[in-house]
Amino acid sequence: MTQPSGRTSESKAEGLVGVDEARAALRRGQAVVLPNPAPLTCVVAATDAQGVNRAKGRPEGQAVALWAHDPGTFAALEDVLDLDEALRAVAQRLLTEQRVTLLVPLRNGASGPDWLAPAARESWAMLFGTRWPPLLPVLEDHSLEDHSVLYVSSANRTGSAPAATAAQARAMFPHSVAVLPADRLPGAELETGSDPTPRAATTTLRLYPDARVTVHRRGAQDAAFTDPDAYLDHIRASFLELK
């Protein structure tokens, strides 16, 4: 994808990047802040989980989410997830339709692939599966087929609120971390525009082998509901009762 003319010098002056620069930075192993549609805040991603944690200014071994944006990534986990076929389908829908972060159970004694390890803790794996169409050109280089997966976390330095805009991210992160604004993604204006919706990091749900679901961490998706239980009622009615 060709970067719009005039962007290069402007990007360097602002410390912001375009699509091609963001893709190149990820391929080099750099951490990159990427935008999301409302009501989500930005995320920081990298091909190296330690790079995500370094960008956030926290211990390198801290757990991060595996970005299962490519369907093949989730499919490759079939043998290690402690979910039946119907619940795996529910999990995929929650990741892609609800755009939540999802904790999924691992089978006892299952030896997961090495690339899952940074997202796995105490028999649970943390997945992020958002496939926002305007962002897909940035993500398309990273799949198991290409021997490259992405790890992701909310775009904040330790102790700070997640960045809702590129300007907030640029002020927060060191310049070794590239920042891609939403307005440099073709088609992003169709979902972002002038939407006044307050931004927040994703809600994190935990899905159990018996089809129970709980809120592990409150966030953007449950904010529109009166309380977490009301959001869970919505999840059960919309996703689990169809199982």
Side-chain angles (χ1 to χ4, degrees):
M1 184 177 296
T2 302
Q3 191 177 3
S5 60
R7 284 295 193 197
T8 300
S9 59
E10 181 184 345
S11 296
K12 289 179 179 178
E14 298 173 356
L16 305 176
V17 301
V19 169
D20 289 347
E21 292 168 302
R23 291 180 67 179
L26 285 171
R27 288 196 298 267
R28 288 194 300 269
Q30 287 180 246
V32 180
V33 171
L34 300 171
N36 273 312
L40 303 181
T41 48
C42 301
V43 294
V44 58
T47 56
D48 175 16
Q50 293 181 344
V52 171
N53 285 323
R54 284 194 297 269
K56 290 170 67 76
R58 66 186 191 182
E60 291 187 356
Q62 192 159 328
V64 294
L66 173 70
W67 199 338
H69 62 87
D70 182 79
T73 303
F74 187 89
L77 298 175
E78 177 179 339
D79 291 338
V80 299
L81 295 184
D82 193 12
L83 298 172
D84 62 25
E85 182 178 357
L87 281 175
R88 291 197 300 273
V90 169
Q92 279 195 291
R93 289 188 60 206
L94 289 172
L95 288 166
T96 57
E97 296 175 28
Q98 283 291 292
R99 294 172 171 161
V100 295
T101 299
L102 189 64
L103 288 163
V104 289
L106 301 175
R107 296 185 187 277
N108 288 335
S111 178
D114 291 343
W115 45 264
L116 181 63
R121 294 290 186 277
E122 298 179 352
S123 299
W124 293 87
M126 184 161 53
L127 306 179
F128 182 67
T130 296
R131 289 177 51 82
W132 187 32
L135 195 57
L136 291 181
V138 180
L139 307 179
E140 63 185 4
D141 298 329
H142 304 282
S143 66
L144 292 181
E145 184 177 345
D146 298 311
H147 306 288
S148 173
V149 296
L150 289 175
Y151 302 97
V152 63
S153 185
S154 55
N156 64 292
R157 297 280 287 178
T158 298
S160 300
T165 66
Q168 291 175 4
R170 185 67 288 158
M172 187 185 308
F173 285 90
H175 277 257
S176 58
V177 178
V179 176
L180 173 65
D183 63 9
R184 298 187 184 181
L185 289 175
E189 67 278 0
L190 299 177
E191 287 202 53
T192 54
S194 57
D195 194 323
T197 305
R199 300 291 189 113
T202 62
T203 296
T204 301
L205 296 179
R206 189 185 296 269
L207 180 63
Y208 290 83
D210 61 2
R212 284 182 299 128
V213 61
T214 60
V215 172
H216 176 77
R217 185 191 68 188
R218 299 196 63 180
Q221 287 84 351
D222 66 275
F225 293 80
T226 54
D227 55 44
D229 287 338
Y231 178 61
L232 290 174
D233 287 342
H234 164 71
I235 291 298
R236 294 184 190 103
S238 301
F239 296 91
L240 290 166
E241 290 182 6
L242 301 176
K243 185 173 76 71

